């Protein structure tokens, strides 16, 4: 099973980025094999609008089951939830810790967008 | 010819000026149409009690996806520059408030799964009295973007060759949409530090758009030198001054026309009428 984490950097020691749509990177981790890779999100980082939607689209295309991020707006939430991707909430910890916390059931799952949309 | 009445700051007197100038022009036998492009808070119509408006819906096209025909090629999602589409299992999601109605997705779909439907963004009201024609744009509450409606109001066909465009305040997309493609901009300001600050911002906008412009000092008389110094430095003509005068304030407060109630005050508007006359002859 693959998990995508919004991240300030490209590896497991990077901090989780609280932003979903405008995070600089997503670290994608296979929690069965512990293999990971990073995808750049720079195009959406600088998008005039719809960064959350497009970031969510990229995550959908990666075939992940879970996203770990700080904040998720209504449009990104819609794309992820329509794709049956779970969203877990984390901030201020490393990617590695976030995954451990997720595995141990310590991260809260978002049942709705936790921040307002904006244009 | 189109003349825009703009200001960085709100409340400088754009609409008051626009309506008085428009009436004075018709009184000078110059046919004019006033277009209220301050679509989030259109006010010019309040000055015109007579007559009835012909109301039309203003609509833009947005895509409608037939998910049964969709072959999951993703071409529409990849094409959309505004991130208004997303492909999720079994369907394409449309985020209509991000759509700019470019029609690209409809064109690129190889199987005809996308058609265009109309989305109402507001109203266009056409009011014609014996003296004046007023076209008003009124943005629907909750609508995210005003420029599409502003463009429709500006493109609304009218008989008068002369159009006065009452612009929204500010310096971003709504103001730019209203000012763009006009022949001259009257920049209404007030002689306060706030008026000066925002005048400087709107001057930068009209310079970037490459449109000739002049300054109108409204509420003039107490601290004009701060605008005068700026105008001199920037080499922008001050075309007229409307005084800070209790009678004008009272007239405005009652929704009246200054030129009707105090005909002697028309002299303050004369330079604007003369400017127009020179331009159109």
């Amino acid at each position: 099973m693959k998990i995508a984490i919004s991240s300030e950097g490209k590896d497991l020691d990077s901090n989780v980025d609280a932003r979903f749509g405008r995070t600089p990177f997503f670290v994608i981790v296979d929690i069965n094999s512990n293999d990971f890779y990073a995808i750049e999100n720079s195009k959406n980082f600088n998008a005039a609008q719809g960064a959350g939607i497009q970031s969510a689209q990229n995550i959908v295309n990666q075939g992940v089951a879970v996203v770990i991020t700080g904040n998720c707006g209504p449009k990104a939430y819609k794309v992820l939830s329509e794709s049956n991707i779970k969203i877990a909430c984390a901030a201020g910890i490393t990617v590695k810790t976030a995954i451990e916390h997720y595995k141990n059931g310590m991260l809260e799952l978002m049942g709705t967008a936790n921040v307002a949309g904006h244009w | 010819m189109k003349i825009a009445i703009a200001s960085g700051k709100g409340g400088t007197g754009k609409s008051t000026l626009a309506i008085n100038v428009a009436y004075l022009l018709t009184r000078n036998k110059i046919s004019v149409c006033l277009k209220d492009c301050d679509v989030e808070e259109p006010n010019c119509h309040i000055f015109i009690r007579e007559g009835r408006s012909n109301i039309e819906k203003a609509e833009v096209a947005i895509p409608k996806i037939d998910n049964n025909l969709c072959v999951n090629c993703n071409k529409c999602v990849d094409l959309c520059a505004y991130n208004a589409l997303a492909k999720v299992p079994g369907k394409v999601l449309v985020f209509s408030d991000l759509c700019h109605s470019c029609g690209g997705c409809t064109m690129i779909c190889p199987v005809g799964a996308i058609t265009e439907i109309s989305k109402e963004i507001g109203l266009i009201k056409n009011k014609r009295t014996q003296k004046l024609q007023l076209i008003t744009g009124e943005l629907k509450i909750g609508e995210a973007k005003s420029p599409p409606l502003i463009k429709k109001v500006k493109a609304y066909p009218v008989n008068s060759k002369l159009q006065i465009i009452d612009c929204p305040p500010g310096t971003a997309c709504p103001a730019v949409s209203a000012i763009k493609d006009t022949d001259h901009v009257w920049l209404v300001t007030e002689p306060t530090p706030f008026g000066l600050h925002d005048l400087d911002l709107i001057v930068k906008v009209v310079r970037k758009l490459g449109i000739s412009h002049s300054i109108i000092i409204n509420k003039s008389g107490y601290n004009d030198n701060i605008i005068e110094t700026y105008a001199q430095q920037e080499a922008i003509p001050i075309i007229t001054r409307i005084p800070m005068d209790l009678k004008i304030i009272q007239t405005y407060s009652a929704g009246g026309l200054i030129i009707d109630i105090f005909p002697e005050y028309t002299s303050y508007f004369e330079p604007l009428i003369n400017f127009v006359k020179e331009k159109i002859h």
Side-chain angles (χ1 to χ4, degrees):
Chain A
M1 185 183 83
K2 287 204 282 188
I3 297 185
I5 303 103
S6 59
S7 170
E8 293 174 4
K10 295 180 181 181
D11 55 39
L12 300 177
D13 294 321
S14 309
N15 280 325
V16 173
D17 196 306
R19 298 165 297 178
F20 175 74
R22 293 184 193 273
T23 183
F25 300 99
F26 284 105
V27 177
I28 316 284
V29 183
D30 185 326
I31 59 165
N32 303 113
S33 64
N34 283 332
D35 289 342
F36 74 93
Y37 58 96
I39 54 172
E40 283 206 29
N41 198 44
S42 54
K43 194 179 153 203
N44 298 319
F45 189 78
N46 296 314
Q49 62 169 34
I53 294 166
Q54 196 53 47
S55 295
Q57 179 75 72
N58 289 346
I59 294 303
V60 171
N61 295 347
Q62 295 295 323
V64 308
V66 177
V67 166
I68 300 177
T69 190
N71 298 315
C72 182
K75 295 192 177 84
Y77 184 85
K78 170 104 174 144
V79 176
L80 294 173
S81 60
E82 289 273 358
S83 306
N84 298 313
I85 296 172
K86 286 184 202 157
I87 309 162
C89 216
I93 52 177
T94 65
V95 170
K96 197 191 281 173
T97 310
I99 293 164
E100 289 309 316
H101 284 188
Y102 179 75
K103 283 182 182 170
N104 296 328
M106 289 161 69
L107 299 185
E108 202 178 318
L109 293 182
M110 280 183 212
T112 178
N114 68 339
V115 288
H118 46 84
W119 292 285
Chain B
M1 189 175 76
K2 288 180 186 153
I3 298 178
I5 302 189
S7 71
K9 187 182 175 300
T12 56
K14 289 180 293 304
S15 300
T16 312
L17 260 147
I19 196 86
N20 279 281
V21 169
Y23 267 110
L24 204 52
L25 282 165
T26 58
R27 217 175 271 176
N28 280 267
K29 310 240 179 311
I30 299 169
S31 166
V32 60
C33 175
L34 176 58
K35 289 187 168 175
D36 195 342
C37 286
D38 192 2
V39 301
E40 289 180 63
E41 52 268 309
N43 277 171
C44 289
H45 67 98
I46 296 171
F47 291 97
I48 309 173
R49 291 174 185 80
E50 56 190 326
R52 211 181 257 179
S53 290
N54 180 27
I55 301 172
E56 296 171 29
K57 279 183 188 169
E59 295 171 330
V60 293
I62 56 163
K64 182 173 186 289
I65 319 269
D66 185 338
N67 290 301
N68 293 321
L69 292 178
C70 176
V71 290
N72 301 318
C73 71
N74 255 352
K75 284 182 179 164
C76 57
V77 176
D78 293 340
L79 178 80
C80 183
Y82 306 104
N83 295 334
L85 299 172
K87 179 80 187 85
V88 297
K91 59 180 150 180
V92 174
L93 300 175
V94 179
F95 294 90
S96 64
D97 52 354
L98 297 189
C99 176
H100 281 55
S101 308
C102 74
C105 55
T106 311
M107 286 162 79
I108 206 166
C109 179
V111 293
I114 307 180
T115 49
E116 288 187 339
I117 56 169
S118 295
K119 178 188 154 196
E120 189 184 331
I121 56 167
L123 301 172
I124 296 181
K125 299 180 177 178
N126 179 0
K127 190 176 213 181
R128 185 188 272 282
T129 70
Q130 280 184 334
K131 292 174 194 156
L132 188 67
Q133 184 178 20
L134 171 69
I135 310 294
T136 302
E138 195 178 294
L139 193 68
K140 194 174 173 182
I141 301 291
E143 177 58 37
K145 297 187 298 287
S146 63
L149 179 57
I150 292 171
K151 284 174 196 162
K152 282 178 188 291
V153 173
K154 285 178 78 180
Y156 195 93
V158 292
N159 289 330
S160 309
K161 282 184 184 145
L162 175 65
Q163 295 182 24
I164 305 261
I165 313 290
D166 187 19
C167 301
T171 53
C173 300
V176 170
S177 306
I179 296 168
K180 212 162 73 177
D181 306 321
T182 58
D183 301 287
H184 187 83
V185 187
W186 285 332
L187 300 168
V188 187
T189 188
E190 56 180 41
T192 64
F194 318 104
L196 175 64
H197 179 269
D198 298 354
L199 171 65
D200 183 44
L201 294 177
I202 195 71
V203 163
K204 286 176 177 141
V205 171
V206 291
R207 281 188 178 150
K208 203 155 198 174
L209 292 169
I211 306 172
S212 74
H213 48 282
S214 49
I215 292 173
I216 297 172
I217 304 181
N218 192 19
K219 311 174 199 177
S220 155
Y222 292 91
N223 199 15
D224 284 15
N225 65 316
I226 65 165
I227 303 294
E228 284 161 0
T229 309
Y230 172 82
Q232 202 169 13
Q233 272 168 8
E234 300 294 326
I236 306 168
I238 296 172
I239 187 166
T240 191
R241 294 151 210 262
I242 318 289
M244 179 72 141
D245 183 307
L246 190 59
K247 285 193 221 164
I248 291 179
I249 296 165
Q250 284 169 336
T251 308
Y252 164 77
S253 300
L257 284 175
I258 300 159
I259 56 161
D260 264 354
I261 299 173
F262 299 105
E264 67 272 24
Y265 284 11
T266 55
S267 60
Y268 300 119
F269 298 94
E270 288 296 344
L272 303 171
I273 308 304
N274 293 337
F275 176 90
V276 172
K277 280 181 179 164
E278 253 173 54
K279 288 273 175 190
I280 56 176
H281 288 138

